[in-house]
Structures are given as structure tokens and as C-alpha cells.
Amino acid sequence: MIGVTVLGATGSIGVSTLDVLARHPDRFRAVALTANTDAERLAEQCRRHRPRYAVMVDPEAARRLGELLADMPGRPEILTGVEGLEQVSALPEVGYVMAAIVGAAGLRPTLAAARAGKRVLLANKESLVVAGALLMQAVADSGAELLPIDSEHNAIFQCLPPNFSDGLERVGVRRILLTASGGPFRDWPLERLSSVTPEQACAHPTWDMGRKISVDSATMMNKGLEVIEACWLFGTDTDHVQVVVHPQSVIHSLVQYEDGSVLAQLGNPDMRTPIAHAMGWPERIDSGVTPLDLFAVARLDFQEPDFARFPCLRLAFESARAGGTAPAVLNAANEIAVAAFLERRIDFPGIAAVVEGTLEALPRESVEGQGLEFLLDVDRRAREQAERLVQAQAG
Ligand code: NAD
Ligand code: MG
């Protein structure tokens, strides 16, 4: 029986993870569930999955969770704060940690899981963008397993040979083809983008996701973050990653080999497939996903990405090439800008403007030999700078 911690249990990925987990009671048991503020939902999940620990990051919400679970026999021990997240990521009775917190807030517990040698099921791409070198080193040092949950990276993992970490060139890979839906505004007239509302940005054409990643998909910052994620996961660089716009989201990504072969992974757009893949690996287990009907799909389209329409994608490529602290600054500025857009403080094109302005204001620094505290400080400074730019735009 494998003990599982689900970081971000109340979110979109967290809920899908618990769905897969509950299909295999002979294989997995929930040891710890965590959330930020949603005590009601976490309480429901605790009653259903009976974990030993529940973490509410917010202390007020933790008190509320305690009240909600007061009458539950065998109720979980309630922890709070980032320390609580780190603690349940490193418990001896836990084998797998689903890293499904949104944003750089997921970094500390994800790193704790990697340092403790767990199988890390990585949905939280931001932690790799902010601290790729640190996280990959922690995995290598502890012997942890890092399995991608992001559907594209999970697809690439499935299309690569088992010894891919010897180097993509050595295993005959020419390049990675990272697919992107292009989001809801792929075909909108450019001049209409300034009128986009949060509701429109969050209504993704093919995937049902949390609000932050939905906005990231609409700006294509999500694909930019994923390019950086792919470089770390597969030990490559941006010259070997091609973004391919594929509106149907049926091909989840492809790998092109030296001999002319291109391998792809296909499926319905449902995150339970990559989740079940990573939880079962190397075995295949049921995910509850409807089998793909190619006759219903009928056609698959492909386009080149439009960097003029999607400046966030360009900024992410530039940050990836610059390296050092640039990806961490990009990510922090984007988190502030997206939150400001969702609060209607800036308009949709303002997101890219805040990110670009923050990158210009904070010179790139080396991360060579730097630890977590340095990166968290970069993250904090970038947030402060981005917030100043938001205020300038909003004012
Ligand atoms: P979501 O907003 O639905 O859920 C986020 C979860 O994180 C919630 O449980 C919330 O309580 C928790 N959380 C938020 N802020 C926190 C904080 N400061 N401290 C601790 N916990 C906090 O997000 P999601 O769509 O499930 O995405 C989660 C992660 O997975 C993101 O990194 C996203 O990029 C990635 N991802 C999501 C999808 C998807 O289909 N939803 C696909 C690929 C990758
Ligand atoms: Mg993805």
C-alpha cells in the first residue's frame, strides 16, 4: 500500500488525483491532504478519504477545519503554515507526493518531497521555473523520482526511451514538439484583446482548470512556462523545443527522432490520464477517462505559434535563454499580473506589459551556487516590482 500526500487537494488537479486514488483502494491511501483556505472542501475530502493529516496553510481556516471535523471519528491531525506542508511532504509513511499547489507557493513543499526521496508527481510547473537547478539537484542527490503530470510533459515522458536522462542526443532525439491549444483568443482580432474579461479568459476551449493556469493558457505564458519546464525535465535547451499549436488538444505532445520517426501520445483532454500514468508507472492503471474516439475527433490541426499575438510566449523564451534568475522573475511578475487581471485592476494585454517591465527593471543574476533563500528573495523582489507596475497601470 502506497501512502500519498496531495498538496493542493482542493484544486482542479487535487480533485482529479483523489478521483484516481479512490479507484485503487488496494494500491493507494491518502496520508495527507492540504489546501490554502478552503476549509469546507478540505473537510469534505477528509471525511471521504480519511487521511492521517490535513494541512490548512491559513491559520484561521485551520481553526475552521477543526470545527468542521470536531465530530469525525478518527479525524486527521490538523497542521498549518508552510511548515505543515513541508512536514507532510517528507513523512516516512508517504511514498508519493502530488505537487499540485498553484504558483511559486508550491516550491518549498515540492523541494521537501524531493529532498526526502519521494516519488514526486509534478503538476506545479512554477517550482521548476523558479528553482529548476535546485530541484533537479535535490532529486539527483536523494534518489527521488520526478514524474511529470503536466499533460505535455507526461506525453513526452511516455514517448522517450527509459534511459533519456543519458542525454536526448545520445538516445537519438532531434527535438521535442510541445503542443498548445492556443487558448480561447487564438483567432480573435488583436484590437479586441484589451476588452477580454476574466470570465472569457478562464473559459478554456478544451481543458477545465484552475483560474491562474486558465489565464496563463489564454496569454500562452503557460506554454512558455512549459518550455522552461521541459528543458529542466528532459535536460535540453530551447533550440530543441518547438511549440506546435494544436487546437483540438488530442495529441498531448510529440518526440521527433533522428531516423525520421515522430512518436506522439494521444488521449481525451482529461488530467486523470497523466495522473494515473504517473501514479501507476511503470504499470498502467485505470483512470476513469473515456476512451478516445478518433472518428469523433475526425481531424487534427497544427499551426505555428504567433509570437506577436502572444508576447508572454516570447518573454518566456527570452527568459529561458537568458537563464539565471530571469525565469524566476518572469514567473513572479506573471503571478502578480494574472492576479491583478483577475481582480480587474489591469487589462489582458497589461499582463505581458507588467512581465516585460519587471524583467527590464530587475537585471538577470547568476544562480550558480545559490540556495532556496536566494531564489525566494528574487521572487519577493520581482513581486514588489511587478506590483508597482500594476499600480502604475491601474492608476
Ligand atoms: P487550482 O487553483 O485549481 O488549485 C490550487 C490548489 O493550490 C488549491 O488546492 C489551493 O488550496 C492550493 N493553494 C493555492 N495557493 C496556495 C498557497 N499559497 N499555499 C498553499 N496552497 C495553495 O490550480 P490547478 O489548476 O489545480 O493547478 C495546480 C498546479 O498544477 C499549477 O501549478 C498548474 O500550473 C498545474 N497544472 C494544472 C493543470 C490543470 O488541468 N488544472 C494542468 C497542468 C498543470
Ligand atoms: Mg500543460
Side-chain angles (χ1 to χ4, degrees):
M1 189 69 95
I2 299 164
V4 182
T5 283
V6 184
L7 300 169
T10 55
S12 161
I13 294 286
V15 168
S16 292
T17 301
L18 290 174
D19 181 280
V20 172
L21 185 142
R23 288 169 195 276
H24 303 279
D26 49 329
R27 234 178 229 269
F28 306 116
R29 84 193 150 86
V31 173
L33 304 181
T34 87
N36 194 23
T37 54
D38 190 348
E40 276 69 22
R41 188 150 210 190
L42 196 67
E44 248 168 62
Q45 292 180 328
C46 286
R47 287 184 191 274
R48 172 114 198 271
H49 299 281
R50 313 192 60 78
R52 285 195 46 196
Y53 302 89
V55 185
M56 289 288 344
V57 178
D58 178 66
E60 189 45 51
R63 262 192 297 280
R64 171 101 188 103
L65 183 70
E67 285 166 20
L68 289 167
L69 294 179
D71 67 340
M72 177 184 166
R75 65 179 168 276
E77 184 178 331
I78 297 174
L79 307 173
T80 185
V82 180
E83 301 70 30
L85 296 177
E86 288 177 319
Q87 191 181 328
V88 298
S89 301
L91 292 168
E93 65 265 46
V94 166
Y96 296 0
V97 175
M98 168 56 78
I101 289 173
V102 60
L107 175 55
R108 290 192 92 110
T110 304
L111 195 59
R115 286 179 172 157
K118 306 303 184 193
R119 175 179 291 196
V120 181
L121 311 168
L122 187 75
N124 176 226
K125 65 193 85 185
E126 294 93 342
S127 58
L128 262 185
V129 172
V130 174
L134 206 61
L135 197 51
M136 296 308 289
Q137 191 60 49
V139 168
D141 290 347
S142 70
E145 292 173 309
L146 186 60
L147 290 179
I149 296 298
D150 217 343
S151 56
E152 297 77 3
H153 306 73
N154 183 270
I156 294 160
F157 182 89
Q158 294 195 43
C159 296
L160 285 171
N163 60 335
F164 72 84
S165 52
D166 294 351
L168 292 191
E169 249 164 69
R170 288 188 60 180
V171 300
V173 171
R174 189 183 290 268
R175 58 183 185 165
I176 285 169
L177 305 175
L178 192 68
T179 56
S181 70
F185 311 128
R186 188 171 47 88
D187 298 322
W188 275 38
L190 281 179
E191 62 276 11
R192 274 186 64 199
L193 292 182
S194 56
S195 69
V196 162
T197 64
E199 291 71 30
Q200 287 168 325
C202 289
H204 195 274
T206 48
W207 294 97
D208 181 9
M209 310 180 286
R211 279 159 66 83
K212 191 260 178 184
I213 185 176
S214 295
V215 176
D216 285 348
S217 300
T219 60
M220 286 194 79
M221 179 59 91
N222 183 50
K223 211 48 54 180
L225 299 176
E226 290 186 358
V227 168
I228 299 170
E229 180 185 16
C231 290
W232 285 116
L233 285 173
F234 306 119
T236 190
D237 56 42
T238 53
D239 292 342
H240 294 88
V241 182
Q242 165 77 58
V243 173
V244 177
V245 175
H246 164 50
Q248 290 91 358
S249 305
V250 165
I251 297 181
H252 299 309
S253 278
L254 317 88
V255 176
Q256 187 164 45
Y257 285 89
E258 290 297 347
D259 63 3
S261 300
V262 177
L263 301 191
Q265 186 262 0
L266 287 74
N268 283 319
D270 185 324
M271 289 306 293
R272 289 177 303 172
T273 293
I275 291 167
H277 170 268
M279 288 182 73
W281 184 80
E283 287 174 50
R284 296 276 179 176
I285 61 173
D286 174 44
S287 65
V289 175
T290 319
L292 181 64
D293 177 355
L294 281 175
F295 300 118
V297 173
R299 57 179 283 182
L300 301 172
D301 295 305
F302 306 99
Q303 294 165 4
E304 280 199 56
D306 180 346
F307 286 90
R309 174 181 291 271
F310 297 108
C312 284
L313 185 60
R314 169 180 60 79
L315 292 168
F317 264 96
E318 288 169 6
S319 298
R321 290 195 191 102
T325 52
V329 171
L330 172 95
N331 178 72
N334 182 58
E335 287 190 31
I336 293 297
V338 169
F341 168 71
L342 287 171
E343 291 161 6
R344 295 183 160 78
R345 296 169 65 209
I346 61 173
D347 66 6
F348 185 75
I351 297 173
V354 167
V355 174
E356 183 148 34
T358 307
L359 283 164
E360 279 164 8
L362 296 184
R364 172 202 171 280
E365 294 170 67
S366 167
V367 293
E368 196 82 33
Q370 296 288 6
L372 179 62
E373 294 311 318
F374 172 78
L375 290 166
L376 293 176
D377 186 55
V378 170
D379 175 79
R380 185 184 49 71
R381 282 187 282 133
R383 279 168 203 271
E384 285 167 7
Q385 177 60 32
E387 187 53 45
R388 281 193 285 275
L389 294 171
V390 164
Q391 278 167 19
Q393 267 196 47

